[in-house]
Amino acid sequence: MRADRLVAVLLLMQSRGRVTAAGLAAELEVSVATARRDLEALSAAGVPVYPQAGRGGGWSLLGGARTDLSGLTANEAEALFLLAGPAASATPEVKSALRKLVRALPQTFRDDAEAAADAVVIDPTGWGERDPDRPELVRVLQSATVRRRKVRLGYEGRSGERTHRLVDPWGLVDKDDVWYLIAGTEAGQRTFRVDRIAEAEVTELTFERPEGFVLSEAWGKVVDEMERRRSLLSATVLIAERFLPVLRHQFGRHCEVERVEEDGRVRARVAAPMALSIAEQLAGWGATVEVVEPEEVRVQLARIGSELVERYRV
């Protein structure tokens, strides 16, 4: 979560003096864009974090490598804790880190910093839902990753068939509350959904990550490949402009606007792995969306409509 990263960024900068966005991304196992946004957020909030352009540049705390977190001004400390304090789901380790940071501040700043940390609450849990919790299996795999221990997995594929394999856990990724394990296998790098791992036995066998491996970059390639598979087929649709934001939300990056027609409707292209996938997502729109092409999507929509009419005929 962001509170973890903000604290970690400052501690890394304190110990190293100067860092790059790419270096932070590798260290914190996030994308370079995320690391850069965190650095810019700290800078914009008034924390003395400044970029230096050119060869050998990067980001540094004002004052160089010897700058200590206790050297923050009152306004800077307040800004930091406004950024890092709100997460209702912060882990005990994060809360402990924040308490230690508070104790590192001069006494005159502590009250304001503590008040800032408690000024805003971000609760990621929806109404009627349980608090999100990191699965115990994730903790086991995370420990194996840090300790560089091979893991024997019992993994259930989409068909339900269970296979067993010995893997090198290289890193974990949390994407929209779904955890993925990126690991080395005899067949090369593979990605496993943690919720499909039926069993995991941490062994005493050790491994080393491949030289130059960066988790954020590896995950980026996984995402690119998944998005490519999800957009194998595209369809042209017409929709009223006022409904376009909903269509974009439904298809995400696989919705591209082409132009506005003379009748005021928007011509857009949506994509999915196959014609049936597009038809299933558009069926609920009824006549609100018109599919121009391809014909195979129109055929699938007609079939779905006929089935509904037959089922619910009165």
Side-chain angles (χ1 to χ4, degrees):
M1 64 186 64
R2 202 180 194 200
D4 287 293
R5 297 199 309 270
L6 292 170
V7 172
V9 167
L10 284 174
L11 292 177
L12 284 170
M13 295 184 75
Q14 173 187 326
S15 63
R16 299 180 183 179
R18 182 178 300 171
V19 298
T20 64
L24 279 178
E27 191 81 30
L28 303 179
E29 298 185 345
V30 297
S31 69
V32 174
T34 295
R36 187 175 292 112
R37 282 195 297 269
D38 286 344
L39 288 164
E40 290 171 349
L42 289 171
S43 179
V47 178
V49 178
Y50 293 93
Q52 292 178 314
R55 186 175 181 180
W59 292 74
S60 58
L61 284 165
L62 184 63
R66 299 180 62 85
T67 300
D68 187 80
L69 291 182
S70 61
L72 297 175
T73 67
N75 289 338
E76 292 163 354
E78 181 178 333
L80 169 62
F81 282 86
L82 278 171
L83 283 169
S89 58
T91 64
E93 292 83 0
V94 174
K95 294 176 181 178
S96 174
L98 290 175
R99 287 195 297 269
K100 291 177 180 178
L101 287 178
V102 169
R103 289 198 295 270
L105 294 172
Q107 180 63 49
T108 54
F109 298 166
R110 291 181 189 176
D111 291 342
D112 288 343
E114 290 174 335
D118 292 332
V120 179
V121 169
I122 296 176
D123 188 350
T125 307
W127 296 111
E129 296 180 356
R130 297 181 59 185
D131 290 339
D133 191 19
R134 181 171 298 186
E136 181 59 30
L137 183 54
V138 170
R139 300 180 189 277
V140 172
L141 294 172
Q142 186 177 47
S143 175
T145 300
V146 173
R147 295 168 54 214
R148 299 291 194 266
R149 294 292 189 272
K150 292 177 179 286
V151 180
R152 299 187 190 279
L153 295 183
Y155 190 72
E156 295 183 353
R158 293 188 178 184
S159 64
E161 181 182 0
R162 182 177 300 185
T163 59
H164 294 83
R165 63 195 80 188
L166 183 67
V167 306
D168 301 343
W170 292 345
L172 289 153
V173 176
D174 176 10
K175 183 173 178 61
D176 294 333
D177 293 329
V178 178
W179 286 89
Y180 296 87
L181 170 68
I182 294 182
T185 72
E186 291 182 348
Q189 178 181 312
R190 292 293 184 270
T191 303
F192 303 92
R193 277 186 59 137
V194 172
D195 57 6
R196 291 182 183 163
I197 297 176
E199 52 188 286
E201 176 192 353
V202 180
T203 73
E204 291 304 314
L205 300 173
T206 62
F207 70 91
E208 292 295 331
R209 271 183 172 183
E211 185 177 353
F213 175 83
V214 178
L215 180 59
S216 59
E217 294 178 359
W219 177 248
K221 293 178 181 177
V222 171
V223 171
D224 289 343
E225 176 61 21
M226 288 298 297
E227 295 293 356
R228 186 191 66 79
R229 293 180 183 178
R230 291 180 61 191
S231 59
L232 293 178
L233 181 76
S234 62
T236 301
V237 302
L238 296 174
I239 185 173
E241 188 173 5
R242 67 180 182 277
F243 295 127
L244 182 60
V246 183
L247 187 71
R248 278 178 161 164
H249 177 75
Q250 183 175 5
F251 283 90
R253 69 174 67 181
H254 301 300
C255 176
E256 297 181 3
V257 175
E258 292 188 342
R259 63 177 181 270
V260 178
E261 299 293 325
E262 292 182 359
D263 62 3
R265 291 186 297 174
V266 174
R267 177 181 289 260
R269 295 192 67 81
V270 296
M274 59 186 71
L276 178 59
S277 304
I278 297 177
E280 288 174 339
Q281 293 188 69
L282 295 179
W285 287 84
T288 305
V289 172
E290 177 187 347
V291 176
V292 178
E293 53 87 24
E295 184 63 23
E296 55 189 311
V297 174
R298 295 166 62 91
V299 169
Q300 290 290 352
L301 278 170
R303 181 187 60 78
I304 293 172
S306 298
E307 290 179 354
L308 291 173
V309 170
E310 183 65 26
R311 173 63 63 87
Y312 299 105
R313 187 190 304 275
V314 293

